[in-house]
Structure formats: C-alpha cells, structure tokens
Amino acid sequence: MWLRSYSTSLYLFLYAPIALIVLFSFNAGRSGLAFECCSVQWFGRAFGNPFIMEALGHSAFIATCSALIATLFGTLAVFGLQRAGARVRLLFDALTYCAIIVPGIVIGISTLIAFISLFDVINPLLASWMPSVPRLNMGFFTVIAAHSLFTMALVMVIVRSRVDTLDKALLEASADLYAPPMQTFWRVTLPQISPAIMAGFLLAFTFSFDDFIIAFFVAGSETTLPIYIFSSIRRGVTPEINAVSTVIICLSLALLSLTMRDQLYINGEWVSPDLGGYLDVIDPATEQAFARVAASTEEDIDHAVRAARRAFDNGWSQTSGAERGQWLDALADELEHAQPALAELEVRDNGKPLPEAQWDVGDAIGCFRYYAGLARELDQRQDQPLALPDARFRCRIRHEAIGVAGQIIPWNYPLLMATWKVAPALAAGATVVLKPSELTPLTALELAAAADRIGLPAGVLNVVTGLGQDAGSP
C-alpha cells in the first residue's frame, strides 16, 4: 500500500504543474496567476499570433531535419564501429557518452565558437571567389547542425544497444543461403533494429524541438518556439503561453496514443493495465521480441466487463439492425484500407506465410460485410408470426441480444477468428470483451484501433491482452 501511495505522490509531483498549465490556458482573465473561469479565447489568440506560428513552424522544421540527419548518420556510425577494433570503439564510445553528459550550455558555447571560427575562414574566400554568393551566418543551418551532432549520440546509444543483441545465427544462416550482404541487411537486420531506429528518431526529434540552450547560442536572428516562450515569460506568464503549451501537450499525447499498442482498449480508450505488467511478443521467424502488450489482470477484466455492460444497457442493444450493419461495414472499410499492413503484421505475429495472411485479412473483411447484411435482415425478421396448433393463442418471434459476450481467441488464426466472434455478436446487438492469445495479440489490437477510428460507441468492443490464467480464466 505504501508503495502505491509513494508512486501516486511522485506522479502528482511530476504532473501537477502540467495540469495547472492546462487549467490556466482556459483562463478568462489576462493574469497568468489568478484564474477566472472559463474561456478559450487564448487559443484563438495564440493561433492568430504570427510570431508564435512562425516560431512553431521553425521548431518543427528544425526538429524534423535534425532527427532525420541524426538517425541516418547515427545508425551508419553504429554499423561502422561494429567493424572497428576494440580500442577505436572504446574511444568513440567515450566520445559518444561525453556528448550526452556534457551540459547543454557548454555545447552551445562550443558550437557557437566553432561556427564563428569556420565562418571567419569561409566568408572571405566566398567574397573573393564568388562575390554574388551570400555570406554564411547563424540561422537554420547552424541550429540543425548543432542539434544533429548532439542528438546523434542519443541515436547511437539506442541503436547500438539493439545491434549488440542481434542473433548472429540469423546473419550466418542468411550467408549460408548465399544472400548478398545488402539483402541480408534489408531482410534480416533492418526489421530487427527498426524499433530502435524509430525510438532514436523520436527521442532526437523531442530533444531538438524543446531545446532552448543550444538554439539560443547558434540560432542567430531565427526564433524557435522555446526561444519565443522564454523571451515572452520574461515579461510574465500569460494565458496565451499556457494555451500554446496545452496544444503541444495534446499533440504529444495524440502522437503517443498512435504509437502505443501496449495498452488495453476499454470503454473507447487506451488505458494502462491496473498493475502495470507487460508481455513481450515474439517474432517466430527470429525468436526475438519485437513488440510488447499489456498483461491484464482480474481488475482490468472487471473494468472491461463493466464498460461493456454499460454500453449494452445504455443504447447498443436498442439500436436497429440497420445501424449495427453500418458500423460493421465501417469496420470492414477500415480493415480494407489497412489490409497490406495487417497482413504483414499477421506474418510477424503468427509466423504464417504472407499469402495465407493476406487471405485471412481478406476473409475477415468479408466476414464483417456478411454479418452487416445479416444485421440489416434482422430488422425484417423481428416480430414475425409463428403458427401455433391452438388458434386461441398468437405468437411472435422477437430477436434480442442477451448481454456481454466474453470471447477468447486462439493463436492460429488471430484476426480471422476474432472476426468470426466479434462480427456476429455486434450484429446481434451484444457488446464484446475480447481476449486474444498472448502469443498473437497484435492484430486484435489493430481491430480495436479500427473501431476507435470509426468512432464505435465506447464500451461496445473492448480488447484486453494477457495470460490465460490472469485474464482468461473464469
């Protein structure tokens, strides 16, 4: 209990200031310290401020360029150092870690001096050889260069940690099959290190986007968003600055939600497991973990069942078959748009050949369309008379859903069997709590993501992942 209380206190300490920024962005007054409820005027003013929008565009451009350069050259540097001798690697490792631990102000001053010295040499040469060419000055180029050099070290550390754990037997097997080195890289090495490369890119982008110290020294006359915010708060924190910060927080959370599939989909939201446990997902071809999913427990299942029951009682069971058919057709459309990616994911998740995975996804799409048609037909079959032997009595048949359907999916046809269970239940007016196999959970989570994208009412489809004894037993 004390550990949970400590964790709660720690999170409050970390996130309470952020919550205050969000709250004060809706301030109706002009003060950044006295709250008057409530207004969204500052969001309009922020987006109507040309200086803020210009600074935001500069930061996004610089961060994107810096992250791309750092990711490309950082990854190439890792593979280059793999072939170097032990002493050379030790030297470059020391330089890499030094770049990370050196204070930002030191990097800012040193890069400023380096650029000034370089320009003092190059600009006179340009003036004498090419008078029409503009002189080199501080600006976008210098900020991108400085950020790229700094964030390259971060990318190298992340990618290097993954490259060092690669299964060398796979590379040897590829060579034994006479695969050219480049084919081995594209087919064997790159798929295994791509999560690390993406993580390095995102980290580099984040560091570049919110950097103030280095950019302050080398930006010249250009203004990034952190520089603009810093110069503004020297005159006092205004709700306009809070509004900009709130928008950035919301964008960060939106990007995070798009990339996170290690959560449970309950009540129309991506939520973390109650006890915070996770399971690795293993690629059968490489026997390496390439993703992770939440390990739900009894509390998470209860949460999902309650959400499904509320959705059933509060409207889903009362919808017409025609309405439910529209939702199922929309799900089929979403799966169809993502069909190639779903087939590739099914291959990595399950290990089956690509043609079979493509057939499975196509069949899943057809299954949703089939039950969409049956849902519409259900309206025509409601209250049909049934002849009885005794003419004194009259009978009509009415089809009604019972409640929440708990569904457990095996590993061999992950998406297809999930569809076989989900589609008829939703067509009949039931709500669903779906638990895929812990061995092959990813396409079921993508099914939940498709439901989220089309706006399926909250609680109608819930997807929980985890071990059978924790999340699937009665």
Side-chain angles (χ1 to χ4, degrees), residues 151-185:
T151 56
M152 192 184 302
L154 301 173
V155 174
M156 290 178 65
V157 170
I158 294 174
V159 176
R160 169 80 177 276
S161 64
R162 182 66 187 98
V163 170
D164 286 344
T165 60
L166 287 178
D167 188 353
K168 301 301 188 294
L170 294 174
L171 304 179
E172 294 171 0
S174 180
D176 290 342
L177 294 172
Y178 302 102
M182 285 304 297
Q183 188 175 10
T184 299
F185 174 79

Side-chain angles (χ1 to χ4, degrees), residues 61-74 148 151 201 204-205:
F61 174 75
I62 290 170
T64 302
C65 294
S66 301
L68 288 172
I69 293 171
T71 303
L72 175 61
F73 287 99
S148 298
T151 56
F201 173 84
F205 181 92

Side-chain angles (χ1 to χ4, degrees), residues 10 26 67 80 101 117 131 137 144 171 178 184 187 320 322 334 340 347 365 403 411 458 467 472:
L10 180 62
F26 296 95
I101 64 177
S117 302
N137 292 303
I144 292 172
L171 304 179
Y178 302 102
T184 299
R187 295 291 185 88
S320 67
E334 279 296 315
V347 169
I365 295 167
W411 62 269
L467 297 174

